[in-house]
Amino acid sequence: MSNPTGRYSITMPCAVAEAARARGGTGGLSAYVAAAVARQVERDNLQEIITAAEAEHGPVSDEEIRALRDELARARRGDS
């Protein structure tokens, strides 16, 4: 079952709309825009989580980020 939809009117630069329409494929402009907005909502939600975590625990250092990225890369490769 798909999510209910609604009709909305938005304004955007013509060049952006045409580029989105060209990339929309079989789903068209509406599907392309809906997917882009959904991705942005996910990013906004993640940023809220990061902000809350950093407020509680302090910012994550560049060294910690590198170490976690290295660990993720090893896990993806199947290394121990």
Side-chain angles (χ1 to χ4, degrees):
M1 177 182 259
S2 65
N3 290 327
T5 61
R7 293 183 62 86
Y8 303 93
S9 175
I10 62 169
T11 302
M12 70 176 80
C14 291
V16 173
E18 290 307 314
R21 186 183 309 279
R23 289 167 176 79
T26 58
L29 178 62
S30 291
Y32 190 87
V33 171
V37 172
R39 278 192 305 276
Q40 186 62 48
V41 169
E42 289 173 354
R43 289 178 178 173
D44 292 345
N45 290 340
L46 287 171
Q47 187 58 52
E48 289 174 7
I49 292 168
I50 291 167
T51 299
E54 286 183 339
E56 186 175 338
H57 304 287
V60 179
S61 71
D62 290 341
E63 182 178 319
E64 290 171 308
I65 292 170
R66 271 192 301 278
L68 290 169
R69 284 184 175 158
D70 290 346
E71 184 177 336
L72 179 59
R74 285 191 303 275
R76 286 181 174 159
R77 288 191 309 264
D79 299 350
S80 298

Short mmCIF file of all heavy atoms in Angstrom, two decimals:
data_model
loop_
_atom_site.label_atom_id
_atom_site.label_comp_id
_atom_site.label_asym_id
_atom_site.label_seq_id
_atom_site.Cartn_x
_atom_site.Cartn_y
_atom_site.Cartn_z
N MET A 1 0.85 -1.17 0.00
CA MET A 1 0.00 0.00 0.00
C MET A 1 0.90 1.24 0.00
O MET A 1 1.83 1.34 0.78
CB MET A 1 -0.92 -0.04 1.21
CG MET A 1 -1.79 1.20 1.33
SD MET A 1 -2.82 1.15 2.81
CE MET A 1 -4.34 0.64 2.07
N SER A 2 0.63 2.19 -0.86
CA SER A 2 1.44 3.39 -0.94
C SER A 2 0.93 4.44 0.03
O SER A 2 -0.21 4.38 0.51
CB SER A 2 1.45 3.93 -2.37
OG SER A 2 0.15 4.34 -2.73
N ASN A 3 1.78 5.40 0.31
CA ASN A 3 1.40 6.50 1.20
C ASN A 3 0.40 7.39 0.49
O ASN A 3 0.45 7.57 -0.73
CB ASN A 3 2.63 7.32 1.57
CG ASN A 3 3.57 6.55 2.48
OD1 ASN A 3 3.12 5.76 3.30
ND2 ASN A 3 4.85 6.80 2.35
N PRO A 4 -0.50 8.00 1.25
CA PRO A 4 -1.43 8.96 0.62
C PRO A 4 -0.66 10.15 0.09
O PRO A 4 0.40 10.50 0.62
CB PRO A 4 -2.36 9.36 1.76
CG PRO A 4 -1.75 8.88 3.01
CD PRO A 4 -0.73 7.85 2.67
N THR A 5 -1.16 10.73 -0.96
CA THR A 5 -0.49 11.88 -1.57
C THR A 5 -1.42 13.08 -1.56
O THR A 5 -2.63 12.95 -1.35
CB THR A 5 -0.08 11.58 -3.03
OG1 THR A 5 -1.25 11.29 -3.79
CG2 THR A 5 0.89 10.41 -3.10
N GLY A 6 -0.84 14.22 -1.78
CA GLY A 6 -1.61 15.46 -1.88
C GLY A 6 -1.03 16.29 -3.01
O GLY A 6 0.07 16.05 -3.48
N ARG A 7 -1.79 17.26 -3.43
CA ARG A 7 -1.33 18.16 -4.49
C ARG A 7 -0.84 19.43 -3.84
O ARG A 7 -1.52 20.00 -2.98
CB ARG A 7 -2.45 18.45 -5.46
CG ARG A 7 -2.88 17.22 -6.25
CD ARG A 7 -3.95 17.55 -7.27
NE ARG A 7 -3.52 18.50 -8.27
CZ ARG A 7 -2.88 18.18 -9.40
NH1 ARG A 7 -2.60 16.93 -9.65
NH2 ARG A 7 -2.55 19.11 -10.27
N TYR A 8 0.34 19.90 -4.26
CA TYR A 8 0.94 21.09 -3.71
C TYR A 8 1.45 21.96 -4.85
O TYR A 8 1.86 21.46 -5.89
CB TYR A 8 2.10 20.73 -2.78
CG TYR A 8 1.67 19.81 -1.66
CD1 TYR A 8 1.78 18.43 -1.79
CD2 TYR A 8 1.12 20.33 -0.50
CE1 TYR A 8 1.35 17.59 -0.78
CE2 TYR A 8 0.70 19.49 0.52
CZ TYR A 8 0.82 18.13 0.37
OH TYR A 8 0.39 17.30 1.37
N SER A 9 1.45 23.22 -4.63
CA SER A 9 2.00 24.15 -5.60
C SER A 9 3.31 24.70 -5.03
O SER A 9 3.34 25.20 -3.90
CB SER A 9 1.02 25.30 -5.83
OG SER A 9 1.59 26.26 -6.69
N ILE A 10 4.39 24.55 -5.78
CA ILE A 10 5.68 25.08 -5.35
C ILE A 10 6.26 25.96 -6.44
O ILE A 10 5.88 25.84 -7.61
CB ILE A 10 6.68 23.96 -4.99
CG1 ILE A 10 6.98 23.09 -6.22
CG2 ILE A 10 6.16 23.11 -3.84
CD1 ILE A 10 8.13 22.14 -6.01
N THR A 11 7.15 26.82 -6.07
CA THR A 11 7.82 27.69 -7.02
C THR A 11 9.31 27.38 -6.94
O THR A 11 9.87 27.27 -5.85
CB THR A 11 7.58 29.17 -6.66
OG1 THR A 11 6.17 29.40 -6.65
CG2 THR A 11 8.24 30.09 -7.65
N MET A 12 9.94 27.21 -8.12
CA MET A 12 11.37 26.97 -8.18
C MET A 12 11.90 27.54 -9.48
O MET A 12 11.13 27.76 -10.42
CB MET A 12 11.69 25.47 -8.05
CG MET A 12 11.29 24.63 -9.25
SD MET A 12 11.78 22.90 -9.12
CE MET A 12 10.50 22.26 -8.08
N PRO A 13 13.19 27.77 -9.54
CA PRO A 13 13.77 28.28 -10.78
C PRO A 13 13.48 27.33 -11.96
O PRO A 13 13.51 26.11 -11.79
CB PRO A 13 15.27 28.35 -10.49
CG PRO A 13 15.35 28.45 -8.99
CD PRO A 13 14.19 27.66 -8.48
N CYS A 14 13.20 27.91 -13.11
CA CYS A 14 12.87 27.10 -14.29
C CYS A 14 13.96 26.10 -14.64
O CYS A 14 13.66 24.94 -14.97
CB CYS A 14 12.60 28.01 -15.50
SG CYS A 14 11.09 28.98 -15.33
N ALA A 15 15.21 26.51 -14.54
CA ALA A 15 16.32 25.62 -14.89
C ALA A 15 16.35 24.40 -13.96
O ALA A 15 16.62 23.28 -14.40
CB ALA A 15 17.65 26.36 -14.83
N VAL A 16 16.07 24.62 -12.69
CA VAL A 16 16.04 23.51 -11.73
C VAL A 16 14.88 22.58 -12.06
O VAL A 16 15.03 21.35 -12.07
CB VAL A 16 15.94 24.05 -10.28
CG1 VAL A 16 15.73 22.91 -9.29
CG2 VAL A 16 17.17 24.86 -9.92
N ALA A 17 13.72 23.14 -12.33
CA ALA A 17 12.55 22.33 -12.66
C ALA A 17 12.79 21.50 -13.91
O ALA A 17 12.44 20.31 -13.96
CB ALA A 17 11.32 23.22 -12.82
N GLU A 18 13.37 22.11 -14.92
CA GLU A 18 13.63 21.38 -16.18
C GLU A 18 14.66 20.28 -15.98
O GLU A 18 14.54 19.19 -16.54
CB GLU A 18 14.03 22.35 -17.29
CG GLU A 18 12.88 23.23 -17.76
CD GLU A 18 11.63 22.43 -18.14
OE1 GLU A 18 11.74 21.42 -18.86
OE2 GLU A 18 10.53 22.83 -17.71
N ALA A 19 15.70 20.55 -15.18
CA ALA A 19 16.71 19.52 -14.90
C ALA A 19 16.07 18.36 -14.14
O ALA A 19 16.34 17.19 -14.44
CB ALA A 19 17.87 20.12 -14.10
N ALA A 20 15.20 18.67 -13.18
CA ALA A 20 14.52 17.62 -12.42
C ALA A 20 13.58 16.84 -13.32
O ALA A 20 13.51 15.61 -13.24
CB ALA A 20 13.76 18.24 -11.25
N ARG A 21 12.87 17.53 -14.18
CA ARG A 21 11.95 16.86 -15.11
C ARG A 21 12.72 15.92 -16.03
O ARG A 21 12.30 14.78 -16.27
CB ARG A 21 11.19 17.89 -15.93
CG ARG A 21 10.11 17.29 -16.82
CD ARG A 21 9.41 18.34 -17.69
NE ARG A 21 8.94 19.49 -16.95
CZ ARG A 21 7.80 19.55 -16.25
NH1 ARG A 21 7.03 18.49 -16.18
NH2 ARG A 21 7.45 20.65 -15.64
N ALA A 22 13.87 16.35 -16.50
CA ALA A 22 14.70 15.53 -17.40
C ALA A 22 15.21 14.28 -16.70
O ALA A 22 15.39 13.24 -17.33
CB ALA A 22 15.87 16.34 -17.94
N ARG A 23 15.43 14.37 -15.40
CA ARG A 23 15.95 13.24 -14.64
C ARG A 23 14.85 12.41 -13.99
O ARG A 23 15.12 11.38 -13.39
CB ARG A 23 16.92 13.74 -13.58
CG ARG A 23 18.21 14.24 -14.17
CD ARG A 23 19.01 15.03 -13.14
NE ARG A 23 20.29 15.44 -13.66
CZ ARG A 23 20.48 16.47 -14.48
NH1 ARG A 23 19.45 17.20 -14.88
NH2 ARG A 23 21.68 16.80 -14.92
N GLY A 24 13.63 12.86 -14.09
CA GLY A 24 12.51 12.21 -13.41
C GLY A 24 12.17 10.83 -13.90
O GLY A 24 11.56 10.05 -13.18
N GLY A 25 12.55 10.51 -15.12
CA GLY A 25 12.27 9.18 -15.65
C GLY A 25 10.78 8.89 -15.70
O GLY A 25 9.96 9.80 -15.86
N THR A 26 10.43 7.63 -15.49
CA THR A 26 9.03 7.22 -15.60
C THR A 26 8.17 7.80 -14.48
O THR A 26 6.98 7.95 -14.64
CB THR A 26 8.90 5.69 -15.59
OG1 THR A 26 9.48 5.19 -14.38
CG2 THR A 26 9.60 5.07 -16.78
N GLY A 27 8.79 8.13 -13.34
CA GLY A 27 8.03 8.69 -12.23
C GLY A 27 7.69 10.15 -12.43
O GLY A 27 6.81 10.68 -11.78
N GLY A 28 8.42 10.82 -13.31
CA GLY A 28 8.16 12.21 -13.61
C GLY A 28 8.68 13.17 -12.56
O GLY A 28 9.35 12.80 -11.60
N LEU A 29 8.35 14.42 -12.76
CA LEU A 29 8.82 15.50 -11.90
C LEU A 29 8.34 15.31 -10.47
O LEU A 29 9.11 15.49 -9.52
CB LEU A 29 8.34 16.85 -12.45
CG LEU A 29 8.71 18.08 -11.64
CD1 LEU A 29 10.22 18.25 -11.55
CD2 LEU A 29 8.07 19.32 -12.25
N SER A 30 7.10 14.94 -10.27
CA SER A 30 6.57 14.80 -8.91
C SER A 30 7.35 13.76 -8.11
O SER A 30 7.70 13.99 -6.95
CB SER A 30 5.09 14.43 -8.94
OG SER A 30 4.33 15.51 -9.40
N ALA A 31 7.61 12.61 -8.70
CA ALA A 31 8.35 11.55 -8.00
C ALA A 31 9.77 12.00 -7.70
O ALA A 31 10.30 11.73 -6.61
CB ALA A 31 8.36 10.27 -8.83
N TYR A 32 10.39 12.70 -8.64
CA TYR A 32 11.76 13.18 -8.45
C TYR A 32 11.80 14.17 -7.29
O TYR A 32 12.65 14.08 -6.41
CB TYR A 32 12.27 13.81 -9.74
CG TYR A 32 13.75 14.11 -9.71
CD1 TYR A 32 14.68 13.16 -10.08
CD2 TYR A 32 14.21 15.37 -9.33
CE1 TYR A 32 16.03 13.43 -10.06
CE2 TYR A 32 15.55 15.65 -9.31
CZ TYR A 32 16.46 14.68 -9.67
OH TYR A 32 17.81 14.96 -9.64
N VAL A 33 10.89 15.12 -7.29
CA VAL A 33 10.85 16.14 -6.24
C VAL A 33 10.51 15.49 -4.89
O VAL A 33 11.12 15.81 -3.87
CB VAL A 33 9.85 17.26 -6.59
CG1 VAL A 33 9.63 18.19 -5.41
CG2 VAL A 33 10.35 18.04 -7.80
N ALA A 34 9.59 14.55 -4.86
CA ALA A 34 9.24 13.86 -3.61
C ALA A 34 10.45 13.13 -3.04
O ALA A 34 10.69 13.17 -1.83
CB ALA A 34 8.07 12.90 -3.85
N ALA A 35 11.21 12.45 -3.90
CA ALA A 35 12.40 11.73 -3.44
C ALA A 35 13.44 12.71 -2.90
O ALA A 35 14.08 12.45 -1.88
CB ALA A 35 12.98 10.88 -4.56
N ALA A 36 13.62 13.83 -3.58
CA ALA A 36 14.60 14.83 -3.13
C ALA A 36 14.19 15.43 -1.78
O ALA A 36 15.03 15.60 -0.89
CB ALA A 36 14.73 15.94 -4.18
N VAL A 37 12.93 15.72 -1.62
CA VAL A 37 12.45 16.27 -0.35
C VAL A 37 12.57 15.22 0.76
O VAL A 37 12.99 15.54 1.88
CB VAL A 37 11.00 16.79 -0.48
CG1 VAL A 37 10.43 17.17 0.87
CG2 VAL A 37 10.96 17.98 -1.43
N ALA A 38 12.26 13.97 0.46
CA ALA A 38 12.40 12.90 1.46
C ALA A 38 13.85 12.78 1.91
O ALA A 38 14.11 12.62 3.12
CB ALA A 38 11.89 11.58 0.90
N ARG A 39 14.81 12.85 0.97
CA ARG A 39 16.23 12.80 1.34
C ARG A 39 16.60 13.97 2.23
O ARG A 39 17.35 13.82 3.20
CB ARG A 39 17.11 12.79 0.09
CG ARG A 39 17.27 11.43 -0.55
CD ARG A 39 18.37 11.41 -1.60
NE ARG A 39 18.18 12.41 -2.63
CZ ARG A 39 17.42 12.27 -3.71
NH1 ARG A 39 16.75 11.16 -3.89
NH2 ARG A 39 17.32 13.25 -4.59
N GLN A 40 16.09 15.15 1.92
CA GLN A 40 16.40 16.32 2.73
C GLN A 40 15.83 16.19 4.13
O GLN A 40 16.49 16.55 5.11
CB GLN A 40 15.89 17.61 2.07
CG GLN A 40 16.33 18.86 2.80
CD GLN A 40 17.84 19.01 2.83
OE1 GLN A 40 18.50 18.88 1.81
NE2 GLN A 40 18.39 19.28 4.01
N VAL A 41 14.62 15.66 4.25
CA VAL A 41 14.02 15.44 5.57
C VAL A 41 14.89 14.47 6.38
O VAL A 41 15.14 14.69 7.57
CB VAL A 41 12.56 14.95 5.45
CG1 VAL A 41 12.02 14.45 6.78
CG2 VAL A 41 11.68 16.05 4.88
N GLU A 42 15.37 13.38 5.74
CA GLU A 42 16.25 12.44 6.42
C GLU A 42 17.52 13.13 6.90
O GLU A 42 17.97 12.92 8.03
CB GLU A 42 16.62 11.29 5.49
CG GLU A 42 15.49 10.33 5.21
CD GLU A 42 15.84 9.29 4.16
OE1 GLU A 42 16.94 9.38 3.55
OE2 GLU A 42 15.02 8.39 3.93
N ARG A 43 18.11 13.96 6.06
CA ARG A 43 19.32 14.70 6.44
C ARG A 43 19.04 15.65 7.60
O ARG A 43 19.85 15.77 8.52
CB ARG A 43 19.88 15.46 5.24
CG ARG A 43 20.49 14.55 4.22
CD ARG A 43 20.98 15.32 3.04
NE ARG A 43 21.60 14.41 2.09
CZ ARG A 43 22.01 14.76 0.90
NH1 ARG A 43 21.84 16.00 0.48
NH2 ARG A 43 22.56 13.88 0.11
N ASP A 44 17.92 16.34 7.54
CA ASP A 44 17.55 17.26 8.63
C ASP A 44 17.37 16.49 9.94
O ASP A 44 17.83 16.93 11.00
CB ASP A 44 16.27 18.02 8.29
CG ASP A 44 16.44 18.99 7.15
OD1 ASP A 44 17.58 19.31 6.76
OD2 ASP A 44 15.39 19.44 6.61
N ASN A 45 16.72 15.33 9.86
CA ASN A 45 16.53 14.50 11.05
C ASN A 45 17.87 14.03 11.62
O ASN A 45 18.08 14.06 12.84
CB ASN A 45 15.65 13.28 10.75
CG ASN A 45 14.20 13.66 10.51
OD1 ASN A 45 13.75 14.73 10.89
ND2 ASN A 45 13.47 12.78 9.84
N LEU A 46 18.77 13.59 10.74
CA LEU A 46 20.11 13.17 11.19
C LEU A 46 20.86 14.33 11.84
O LEU A 46 21.53 14.16 12.86
CB LEU A 46 20.91 12.60 10.03
CG LEU A 46 20.49 11.22 9.55
CD1 LEU A 46 21.21 10.86 8.26
CD2 LEU A 46 20.74 10.18 10.62
N GLN A 47 20.75 15.53 11.25
CA GLN A 47 21.42 16.69 11.82
C GLN A 47 20.89 17.00 13.21
O GLN A 47 21.66 17.37 14.11
CB GLN A 47 21.30 17.91 10.91
CG GLN A 47 22.12 19.09 11.39
CD GLN A 47 23.60 18.76 11.51
OE1 GLN A 47 24.22 18.27 10.57
NE2 GLN A 47 24.19 19.00 12.68
N GLU A 48 19.60 16.84 13.42
CA GLU A 48 19.02 17.05 14.75
C GLU A 48 19.59 16.06 15.76
O GLU A 48 19.90 16.42 16.90
CB GLU A 48 17.50 16.94 14.69
CG GLU A 48 16.83 18.09 13.99
CD GLU A 48 15.33 17.89 13.80
OE1 GLU A 48 14.76 16.92 14.34
OE2 GLU A 48 14.73 18.73 13.11
N ILE A 49 19.75 14.81 15.34
CA ILE A 49 20.33 13.78 16.22
C ILE A 49 21.78 14.13 16.54
O ILE A 49 22.21 14.04 17.70
CB ILE A 49 20.23 12.39 15.57
CG1 ILE A 49 18.76 11.96 15.50
CG2 ILE A 49 21.07 11.36 16.32
CD1 ILE A 49 18.52 10.74 14.63
N ILE A 50 22.54 14.53 15.53
CA ILE A 50 23.94 14.90 15.73
C ILE A 50 24.05 16.08 16.68
O ILE A 50 24.87 16.08 17.61
CB ILE A 50 24.62 15.21 14.38
CG1 ILE A 50 24.78 13.93 13.57
CG2 ILE A 50 25.98 15.89 14.60
CD1 ILE A 50 25.15 14.16 12.11
N THR A 51 23.23 17.09 16.48
CA THR A 51 23.26 18.28 17.32
C THR A 51 22.96 17.92 18.78
O THR A 51 23.64 18.38 19.70
CB THR A 51 22.26 19.33 16.79
OG1 THR A 51 22.65 19.70 15.47
CG2 THR A 51 22.24 20.57 17.67
N ALA A 52 21.95 17.08 18.98
CA ALA A 52 21.60 16.66 20.34
C ALA A 52 22.73 15.85 20.98
O ALA A 52 23.06 16.05 22.15
CB ALA A 52 20.30 15.85 20.33
N ALA A 53 23.32 14.94 20.22
CA ALA A 53 24.41 14.11 20.75
C ALA A 53 25.62 14.96 21.09
O ALA A 53 26.26 14.76 22.13
CB ALA A 53 24.78 13.02 19.74
N GLU A 54 25.95 15.92 20.21
CA GLU A 54 27.10 16.78 20.48
C GLU A 54 26.84 17.69 21.67
O GLU A 54 27.76 18.00 22.42
CB GLU A 54 27.46 17.59 19.24
CG GLU A 54 28.13 16.74 18.18
CD GLU A 54 28.58 17.53 16.97
OE1 GLU A 54 28.07 18.64 16.73
OE2 GLU A 54 29.47 17.02 16.27
N ALA A 55 25.60 18.10 21.87
CA ALA A 55 25.27 18.93 23.04
C ALA A 55 25.48 18.13 24.32
O ALA A 55 25.92 18.68 25.34
CB ALA A 55 23.83 19.44 22.94
N GLU A 56 25.18 16.84 24.26
CA GLU A 56 25.32 15.99 25.45
C GLU A 56 26.73 15.49 25.67
O GLU A 56 27.22 15.43 26.80
CB GLU A 56 24.37 14.80 25.34
CG GLU A 56 24.34 13.94 26.58
CD GLU A 56 23.30 12.83 26.51
OE1 GLU A 56 22.34 12.95 25.73
OE2 GLU A 56 23.46 11.85 27.26
N HIS A 57 27.42 15.13 24.57
CA HIS A 57 28.72 14.45 24.68
C HIS A 57 29.89 15.25 24.13
O HIS A 57 31.02 14.80 24.22
CB HIS A 57 28.68 13.11 23.95
CG HIS A 57 27.59 12.21 24.43
ND1 HIS A 57 27.62 11.57 25.64
CD2 HIS A 57 26.41 11.86 23.86
CE1 HIS A 57 26.52 10.85 25.79
NE2 HIS A 57 25.76 11.02 24.72
N GLY A 58 29.64 16.38 23.52
CA GLY A 58 30.70 17.16 22.88
C GLY A 58 30.89 16.71 21.44
O GLY A 58 30.42 15.64 21.05
N PRO A 59 31.56 17.54 20.65
CA PRO A 59 31.74 17.20 19.24
C PRO A 59 32.65 15.99 19.04
O PRO A 59 33.51 15.70 19.87
CB PRO A 59 32.36 18.46 18.65
CG PRO A 59 32.95 19.19 19.80
CD PRO A 59 32.16 18.80 21.02
N VAL A 60 32.45 15.31 17.94
CA VAL A 60 33.28 14.17 17.56
C VAL A 60 34.52 14.73 16.86
O VAL A 60 34.42 15.58 15.97
CB VAL A 60 32.52 13.22 16.62
CG1 VAL A 60 33.38 12.05 16.20
CG2 VAL A 60 31.24 12.74 17.27
N SER A 61 35.68 14.26 17.27
CA SER A 61 36.94 14.77 16.70
C SER A 61 37.18 14.17 15.31
O SER A 61 36.63 13.12 14.97
CB SER A 61 38.12 14.44 17.60
OG SER A 61 38.39 13.04 17.56
N ASP A 62 38.02 14.85 14.53
CA ASP A 62 38.40 14.33 13.22
C ASP A 62 39.06 12.95 13.35
O ASP A 62 38.84 12.07 12.52
CB ASP A 62 39.34 15.29 12.50
CG ASP A 62 38.66 16.57 12.05
OD1 ASP A 62 37.40 16.57 11.97
OD2 ASP A 62 39.35 17.55 11.78
N GLU A 63 39.84 12.77 14.40
CA GLU A 63 40.50 11.49 14.63
C GLU A 63 39.48 10.38 14.88
O GLU A 63 39.60 9.26 14.35
CB GLU A 63 41.45 11.59 15.82
CG GLU A 63 42.23 10.32 16.10
CD GLU A 63 43.18 10.49 17.27
OE1 GLU A 63 43.83 11.55 17.38
OE2 GLU A 63 43.26 9.54 18.07
N GLU A 64 38.44 10.66 15.67
CA GLU A 64 37.40 9.67 15.92
C GLU A 64 36.65 9.33 14.64
O GLU A 64 36.33 8.16 14.39
CB GLU A 64 36.42 10.20 16.97
CG GLU A 64 37.00 10.29 18.37
CD GLU A 64 36.08 11.02 19.33
OE1 GLU A 64 35.65 12.14 19.00
OE2 GLU A 64 35.81 10.47 20.41
N ILE A 65 36.39 10.33 13.82
CA ILE A 65 35.71 10.10 12.54
C ILE A 65 36.55 9.21 11.65
O ILE A 65 36.05 8.24 11.06
CB ILE A 65 35.37 11.43 11.85
CG1 ILE A 65 34.30 12.18 12.66
CG2 ILE A 65 34.91 11.19 10.41
CD1 ILE A 65 34.05 13.60 12.19
N ARG A 66 37.85 9.51 11.54
CA ARG A 66 38.75 8.68 10.71
C ARG A 66 38.76 7.24 11.21
O ARG A 66 38.70 6.29 10.42
CB ARG A 66 40.16 9.26 10.71
CG ARG A 66 40.41 10.25 9.62
CD ARG A 66 41.90 10.57 9.48
NE ARG A 66 42.48 11.11 10.70
CZ ARG A 66 42.40 12.39 11.09
NH1 ARG A 66 41.76 13.26 10.35
NH2 ARG A 66 42.96 12.79 12.21
N ALA A 67 38.86 7.06 12.52
CA ALA A 67 38.91 5.71 13.09
C ALA A 67 37.62 4.94 12.79
O ALA A 67 37.66 3.76 12.43
CB ALA A 67 39.15 5.79 14.60
N LEU A 68 36.49 5.60 12.91
CA LEU A 68 35.22 4.94 12.62
C LEU A 68 35.07 4.63 11.14
O LEU A 68 34.54 3.57 10.77
CB LEU A 68 34.05 5.79 13.12
CG LEU A 68 33.93 5.87 14.64
CD1 LEU A 68 32.93 6.93 15.05
CD2 LEU A 68 33.56 4.52 15.21
N ARG A 69 35.53 5.53 10.28
CA ARG A 69 35.48 5.26 8.84
C ARG A 69 36.37 4.08 8.48
O ARG A 69 36.00 3.24 7.66
CB ARG A 69 35.87 6.50 8.05
CG ARG A 69 34.79 7.54 8.01
CD ARG A 69 35.15 8.70 7.15
NE ARG A 69 34.01 9.61 7.05
CZ ARG A 69 34.11 10.88 6.74
NH1 ARG A 69 35.28 11.41 6.48
NH2 ARG A 69 33.03 11.63 6.67
N ASP A 70 37.55 4.02 9.11
CA ASP A 70 38.44 2.88 8.87
C ASP A 70 37.79 1.58 9.32
O ASP A 70 37.86 0.56 8.64
CB ASP A 70 39.78 3.08 9.59
CG ASP A 70 40.63 4.18 8.97
OD1 ASP A 70 40.33 4.61 7.84
OD2 ASP A 70 41.59 4.61 9.65
N GLU A 71 37.15 1.61 10.49
CA GLU A 71 36.47 0.43 11.01
C GLU A 71 35.34 0.00 10.08
O GLU A 71 35.16 -1.19 9.79
CB GLU A 71 35.92 0.75 12.40
CG GLU A 71 35.28 -0.42 13.09
CD GLU A 71 34.81 -0.08 14.49
OE1 GLU A 71 35.33 0.85 15.12
OE2 GLU A 71 33.86 -0.76 14.94
N LEU A 72 34.58 0.95 9.57
CA LEU A 72 33.49 0.64 8.64
C LEU A 72 34.05 0.04 7.35
O LEU A 72 33.51 -0.96 6.84
CB LEU A 72 32.68 1.90 8.34
CG LEU A 72 31.53 1.76 7.37
CD1 LEU A 72 30.52 0.74 7.87
CD2 LEU A 72 30.87 3.10 7.15
N ALA A 73 35.14 0.60 6.83
CA ALA A 73 35.75 0.06 5.61
C ALA A 73 36.22 -1.37 5.82
O ALA A 73 36.02 -2.23 4.95
CB ALA A 73 36.91 0.95 5.17
N ARG A 74 36.82 -1.65 6.99
CA ARG A 74 37.26 -3.02 7.28
C ARG A 74 36.07 -3.97 7.36
O ARG A 74 36.12 -5.08 6.84
CB ARG A 74 38.05 -3.05 8.60
CG ARG A 74 39.46 -2.49 8.47
CD ARG A 74 40.30 -2.79 9.71
NE ARG A 74 39.71 -2.30 10.95
CZ ARG A 74 39.85 -1.05 11.41
NH1 ARG A 74 40.58 -0.18 10.75
NH2 ARG A 74 39.28 -0.69 12.55
N ALA A 75 35.00 -3.52 7.97
CA ALA A 75 33.81 -4.37 8.09
C ALA A 75 33.22 -4.66 6.72
O ALA A 75 32.77 -5.78 6.44
CB ALA A 75 32.77 -3.68 8.98
N ARG A 76 33.20 -3.65 5.85
CA ARG A 76 32.66 -3.86 4.50
C ARG A 76 33.50 -4.83 3.69
O ARG A 76 32.98 -5.56 2.86
CB ARG A 76 32.54 -2.52 3.77
CG ARG A 76 31.39 -1.68 4.28
CD ARG A 76 31.29 -0.38 3.55
NE ARG A 76 30.10 0.34 3.97
CZ ARG A 76 29.94 1.64 3.82
NH1 ARG A 76 30.88 2.37 3.25
NH2 ARG A 76 28.84 2.21 4.22
N ARG A 77 34.81 -4.81 3.92
CA ARG A 77 35.71 -5.73 3.22
C ARG A 77 35.68 -7.13 3.83
O ARG A 77 36.18 -8.08 3.24
CB ARG A 77 37.15 -5.22 3.27
CG ARG A 77 37.43 -4.02 2.40
CD ARG A 77 38.93 -3.75 2.31
NE ARG A 77 39.58 -3.69 3.59
CZ ARG A 77 39.83 -2.57 4.27
NH1 ARG A 77 39.48 -1.39 3.79
NH2 ARG A 77 40.45 -2.61 5.44
N GLY A 78 35.14 -7.23 5.06
CA GLY A 78 35.10 -8.52 5.74
C GLY A 78 36.35 -8.78 6.56
O GLY A 78 36.57 -9.90 7.01
N ASP A 79 37.18 -7.75 6.76
CA ASP A 79 38.36 -7.89 7.61
C ASP A 79 37.94 -8.03 9.06
O ASP A 79 36.88 -7.61 9.46
CB ASP A 79 39.28 -6.67 7.49
CG ASP A 79 39.81 -6.46 6.07
OD1 ASP A 79 39.62 -7.35 5.24
OD2 ASP A 79 40.37 -5.39 5.80
N SER A 80 38.81 -8.62 9.85
CA SER A 80 38.51 -8.76 11.29
C SER A 80 38.80 -7.48 12.03
O SER A 80 39.55 -6.68 11.72
CB SER A 80 39.35 -9.87 11.89
OG SER A 80 39.01 -11.07 11.26
#
